[in-house]
């Protein structure tokens, strides 16, 4: 990574679309990936190998992966790309191996209540499930990214103790993941928490292995990213348009919008590798596909295009 | 001001409502002020003495001021309050004096095109207009706040040179204003610009006399406030709910939302003097009065209220 640069991991196809009411077919999702990659995206989570019964939005993930890999093989997409897929367990990992993807992501919660509600097992049990996944990953030379969710607050338990998050990050690091994404699943984090938690995390996990994952439920995501950057974090998760923020369910909100993040870093002179105008150009296409306005403000308004000087009449 | 504290100047009644399609009568505006003050607001701009022909939303400002002052006199509002009113010229200043208000605000643009379009005169001419206003202010012991608009970008000319903003801030300071609010009128500023401009401004105007005024057109306002805070700014303009962001006019957006700003500072352990829950409680009342959803995310969602721990079933 360049000294004055950040990496944005595109969540739109997974964390974004998975939380949208309207389901997009595999071809549209491949086209979404293609447009993102044309705008400079180099790390994308393409989907999740979860049961389509529970998450119909992620059905056809293997088709998305195989088509993306085929486009790459044909030279229609750059060779230097990192496609990843979320896997909840060994079964999902087998699907991932079969799909040919070279990176997967695993996830655990930092709150027992959230873990029970979300994946119907305790935090300890979720770490047990990681063992066969990590073994398969090693065998098949697949990189593994780890997510910790509800790191700043839980919808059931409220505040989540920092010490617990730090301990779980350490534990996940020991599993052999190459990066740990610290998630504010319900968009409740504030700048004070971000500073405090990441400073503690840095002591147990090298900061270059830490990523920040904010949802914009309370409009704090960009300020939180700025603070995380100041503490030394250089990898940020984001979704084009802020996908995932279902306008029909107040309280649920998507990832921070990729465009908004790029607008900020570009203004700071920090490289993201992304072309802001090309990202903005995807916005109207996606709002049409997803059938509602997306929260990204930069996506909505675009960059400033001066109308021309006014002279006295 | 306490060391670890910021001041939020409430813009809702002026910059907010003035840019809303729906016009609120004087009594509703007084009730809005009363609710804000109950939530801890100590500095409010109550309206503008401008022609109701051009700005019908601000008609009845003298009634708002006199009713607010009467409530204060009757002991129904705290004695230690700062009510202000925007005045564009001598005529407006005369109205302000008559209303009994003890503070006014004057404004100039940092772009000739914007000045011409907005108030039909050059920047120099607008400074000429300040002379009689400042003379009257001195005579009647009225405090004057200054606004500089389009400090980060102009809808007609695009980029605004920093040197020009710095020069105009110096010039405004010499007029005798007690504070200068640096405005991102069209919500185009980024963190890089904020850091750079305020560092230069601090060299010519004491930082305690500087305020930051961001519109949230591109979702950058909160990150910009965080950066301005880090550079030393302690006074921030905001509107409850993010009023002013007319949903019918893409490209126009209101001030940053008071609730969202308070959420951030509270999380940082920085005092605002405002009660976040009481601000959030105003949100539904105002959306009803203004007849549309307001952009504030904290206003919409509220603070986290845990649902209670989940146990294995």
């Amino acid at each position: 990574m360049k000294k004055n640069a950040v990496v944005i991991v595109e969540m739109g196809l997974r964390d974004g679309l998975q939380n949208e009411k309207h389901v997009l077919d595999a071809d549209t999702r491949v086209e979404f990936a293609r447009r993102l990659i044309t705008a400079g995206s180099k790390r994308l989570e393409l989907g999740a190998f979860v049961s389509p019964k529970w998450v119909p939005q992620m059905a056809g993930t293997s088709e998305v992966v195989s088509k993306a890999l085929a486009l790459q093989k044909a030279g229609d997409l750059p060779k230097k790309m990192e496609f990843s897929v979320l896997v909840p367990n060994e079964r999902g990992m087998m699907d991932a191996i079969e799909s040919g993807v070279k990176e997967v992501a695993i996830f655990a919660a930092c709150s027992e209540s959230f873990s029970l509600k979300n994946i119907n097992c305790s935090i300890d049990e979720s770490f047990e499930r990681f063992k066969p996944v990590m073994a398969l990953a090693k065998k098949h030379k697949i990189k593994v990214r780890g997510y910790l969710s509800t790191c700043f607050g839980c919808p059931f338990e409220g505040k989540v103790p920092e010490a617990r998050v730090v301990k779980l990050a350490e534990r996940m690091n020991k599993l052999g993941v190459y990066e740990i994404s610290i998630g504010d699943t319900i968009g409740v984090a504030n700048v004070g928490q971000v500073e405090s938690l990441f400073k503690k995390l840095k002591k147990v996990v090298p900061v270059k292995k830490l990523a920040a994952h904010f949802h914009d439920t309370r409009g704090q995501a960009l300020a939180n990213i700025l603070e995380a950057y100041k503490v030394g974090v250089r990898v940020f998760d984001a979704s084009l348009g802020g996908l995932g923020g279902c306008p029909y369910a107040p309280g649920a909100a998507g990832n921070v919008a990729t465009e908004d993040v790029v607008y900020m870093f570009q203004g700071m002179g920090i490289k993201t590798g992304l072309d802001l105008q090309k990202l903005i150009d995807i916005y109207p296409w996606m709002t049409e596909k997803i059938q509602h306005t997306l929260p990204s403000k930069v996506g909505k308004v675009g960059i400033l295009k001066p109308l021309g000087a006014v002279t006295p009449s």
Side-chain angles (χ1 to χ4, degrees), chain A residues 140-151:
Chain A
H140 293 270
K141 295 195 173 64
I142 289 174
K143 283 171 79 177
V144 183
R145 185 183 209 224
Y147 285 104
L148 285 177
S149 62
T150 57
C151 297

Side-chain angles (χ1 to χ4, degrees), chain A residues 3-313:
Chain A
K3 206 188 156 201
N4 200 16
V6 293
V7 170
I8 293 172
V9 184
E10 178 59 42
M11 292 286 122
L13 282 112
R14 202 273 304 167
D15 202 5
L17 291 180
Q18 141 188 324
N19 291 301
E20 288 286 344
K21 210 174 174 177
H22 189 71
V23 177
L24 299 188
D25 63 30
D27 280 334
T28 309
R29 279 142 68 194
V30 173
E31 174 59 17
F32 183 28
R34 204 195 54 76
R35 287 176 187 239
L36 287 162
I37 294 162
T38 304
S41 222
K42 288 269 187 296
R43 283 180 65 182
L44 293 94
E45 212 167 89
L46 288 179
F49 284 116
V50 289
S51 164
K53 201 175 75 185
W54 299 113
V55 194
Q57 295 93 332
M58 293 293 101
T61 289
S62 62
E63 196 185 333
V64 175
V65 172
S66 66
K67 285 188 172 169
L69 293 176
L71 283 170
Q72 201 181 24
K73 212 175 167 186
D76 292 334
L77 291 180
K79 295 282 169 213
K80 280 201 170 177
M81 285 285 320
E82 289 176 53
F83 294 129
S84 178
V85 171
L86 193 77
V87 297
N89 47 34
E90 197 176 354
R91 166 74 195 275
M93 187 61 180
M94 304 285 272
D95 290 341
I97 293 163
E98 210 183 294
S99 78
V101 77
K102 288 291 158 212
E103 181 180 333
V104 297
I106 57 174
F107 58 98
C110 293
S111 127
E112 292 292 353
S113 294
F114 194 83
S115 190
L116 278 167
K117 269 281 188 183
N118 192 35
I119 49 173
N120 201 29
C121 70
S122 71
I123 297 172
D124 272 344
E125 283 163 353
S126 68
F127 273 85
E128 279 304 310
R129 290 185 191 173
F130 294 152
K131 285 182 186 167
V133 173
M134 295 306 292
L136 283 167
K138 205 175 172 186
K139 191 176 160 193
H140 293 270
K141 295 195 173 64
I142 289 174
K143 283 171 79 177
V144 183
R145 185 183 209 224
Y147 285 104
L148 285 177
S149 62
T150 57
C151 297
F152 299 91
C154 162
F156 308 104
E157 298 178 12
K159 228 180 158 200
V160 171
E162 281 184 335
R164 195 196 296 158
V165 181
V166 173
K167 219 167 175 175
L168 289 171
E170 232 181 328
R171 192 167 168 188
M172 203 169 238
N173 192 34
K174 280 182 189 148
L175 283 176
V177 300
Y178 80 98
E179 189 171 275
I180 301 172
S181 178
I182 302 299
D184 180 23
T185 314
I186 56 167
V188 75
N190 62 59
V191 167
Q193 280 181 292
V194 170
E195 185 193 11
S196 175
L197 181 60
F198 276 102
K199 278 187 176 167
K200 290 191 174 76
L201 285 168
K202 274 165 65 175
K203 290 182 189 162
V204 297
V205 178
V207 70
K208 63 176 183 179
K209 289 185 76 173
L210 293 172
H213 178 108
F214 294 111
H215 285 245
D216 203 29
T217 320
R218 286 168 184 82
Q220 311 289 311
L222 208 56
N224 288 339
I225 287 177
L226 178 60
E227 188 66 23
Y229 176 83
K230 291 192 189 251
V231 179
V233 179
R234 292 294 177 270
V235 183
F236 300 96
D237 297 352
S239 280
L240 186 112
L243 269 169
C246 179
Y248 312 106
N255 296 106
V256 65
T258 311
E259 308 91 299
D260 296 9
V261 178
V262 172
Y263 189 96
M264 179 178 78
F265 281 124
Q266 192 168 293
M268 294 167 75
I270 295 163
K271 286 187 178 64
T272 61
L274 288 154
D275 182 316
L276 182 55
Q277 189 53 56
K278 283 183 183 166
L279 289 173
I280 292 167
D281 292 342
I282 305 174
Y283 179 91
W285 177 83
M286 182 43 77
T287 57
E288 202 193 300
K289 295 293 170 196
I290 208 70
Q291 300 182 8
H292 66 80
T293 300
L294 288 166
S296 166
K297 293 193 171 180
V298 171
K300 226 170 266 162
V301 177
I303 57 168
L304 177 60
K305 288 180 181 155
L307 301 166
V310 177
T311 47
S313 53

